[in-house]
Amino acid sequence: MARFYEQHGRRPRRAAGLAAAVAMTAGSAVVLTAPAAHAEVVDVNYQCKTPIGNKGAVSPIDIKSTPSGGAYKLVMSFQKGVSSSPVELGKGAMKPSALIKLGGAESGTVPVSGPPNDQAIPANTPIKISDLSGTYTPKGSGKVTFTASTLTIKALGTTTTCTPSNHPQPSLTLEVKGSGGSATGGSGGGQLPQTGPADSAIALGTLGGTVLLAGAAGVLWLTRRHQRA
C-alpha cells in the first residue's frame, strides 16, 4: 500500500509541475514576440534662418511611436521653444512642420506637422512648437532609427527654417517588419485599422499558449483517470 501511494502520489506533482512550466512558456512566448522599441529625449541644437537674421536654441526632442495597422504613428515633441518673433503672433498665425530622418534598415525622411498656435505668442518670446505627428510605414525589415531633422515655421507670410547643427543622436529606435509601403505625414490624418504585426504576434503567442495549456490539461486528466483505475 505504501508503495502504491509512493508511486501514484508523484504523478500529480509531476503533472502540476509540467502545467506550471507550460504556463511560464506560454507567457514567455507572448513577451518574446512583441516588437522591440527604445526611445530617449535628445538635445537638438537648432540653428534658424529667420527673416530678420539667424537665431539658435537648444530644445530636448522626444519621438514616440504607436503601432497602427501595418504602420506607426509618430509624435515629435519639443520641450523648449527654438525661435522668436519681433512682433506678436496672433492665435493661429504660426504653423510648424518638420522632418524626421530615418536610419539603420531604412533611409529617407518622414514629414510631420502640427496644428497652428492655439493662443497668441508675445513678441520676442520663445515660440513653443506644438506636438508634430505623421505616419511611418516600413518598407523593409530590421532596426530603424528616428532622428530630429529640419524644422520649418511659417508665420505671417514668412518662413523660418531651423537645422540641427550638433548631429543629434536618434530619439527613437524600432524593430520593424516591412510591408512595402511608404512614409506619409501630417496631423489629423486618416485612421488606420487597429491590426498589424504587433497585434498578430501577440495573438499568435496567446494561441500557442492556449494549445500548450490544453495539452497539459490532457496530461492531468489521463493521470487522474489512471489513479481511479
Side-chain angles (χ1 to χ4, degrees):
M1 182 66 71
R3 180 175 297 177
F4 176 85
Y5 283 110
E6 180 181 356
Q7 291 177 348
H8 293 274
R10 289 180 180 176
R11 292 184 178 178
R13 289 196 295 271
R14 289 178 180 175
L18 175 61
V22 169
M24 291 177 64
T25 302
S28 299
V30 174
V31 173
L32 292 176
T33 53
H38 173 73
E40 60 180 315
V41 178
V42 175
D43 287 339
V44 179
N45 187 346
Y46 279 105
Q47 296 300 312
C48 304
K49 296 184 178 298
T50 77
I52 59 172
N54 297 336
K55 295 186 178 183
V58 175
S59 177
I61 301 295
D62 178 28
I63 300 176
K64 289 186 172 64
S65 68
T66 304
S68 182
Y72 293 86
K73 179 183 178 181
L74 302 179
V75 177
M76 182 179 185
S77 301
F78 293 73
Q79 297 187 7
K80 292 183 179 179
V82 298
S83 187
S84 62
S85 171
V87 298
E88 179 179 284
L89 298 178
K91 179 179 179 181
M94 183 272 295
K95 184 75 167 61
S97 62
L99 295 175
I100 296 176
K101 183 179 178 181
L102 302 177
E106 293 264 37
S107 60
T109 58
V110 178
V112 291
S113 62
N117 54 306
D118 58 0
Q119 53 185 305
I121 302 173
N124 300 314
T125 60
I127 297 176
K128 178 66 172 70
I129 306 298
S130 60
D131 287 351
L132 309 181
S133 63
T135 301
Y136 161 68
T137 302
K139 296 179 182 179
S141 298
K143 185 175 294 184
V144 179
T145 60
F146 300 79
T147 306
S149 188
T150 306
L151 168 68
T152 301
I153 302 173
K154 293 186 177 182
L156 303 179
T158 66
T159 299
T160 294
T161 302
C162 303
T163 305
S165 64
N166 62 333
H167 304 289
Q169 295 298 310
S171 296
L172 174 67
T173 302
L174 285 178
E175 192 77 31
V176 304
K177 281 191 174 182
S179 58
S182 59
T184 59
S187 59
Q191 295 295 320
L192 297 173
Q194 297 298 317
T195 58
D199 298 329
S200 299
I202 293 175
L204 182 60
T206 303
L207 176 61
T210 302
V211 172
L212 289 174
L213 288 175
V219 172
L220 291 173
W221 180 79
L222 289 174
T223 301
R224 292 175 180 172
R225 182 180 180 185
H226 180 72
Q227 288 178 344
R228 287 196 298 269

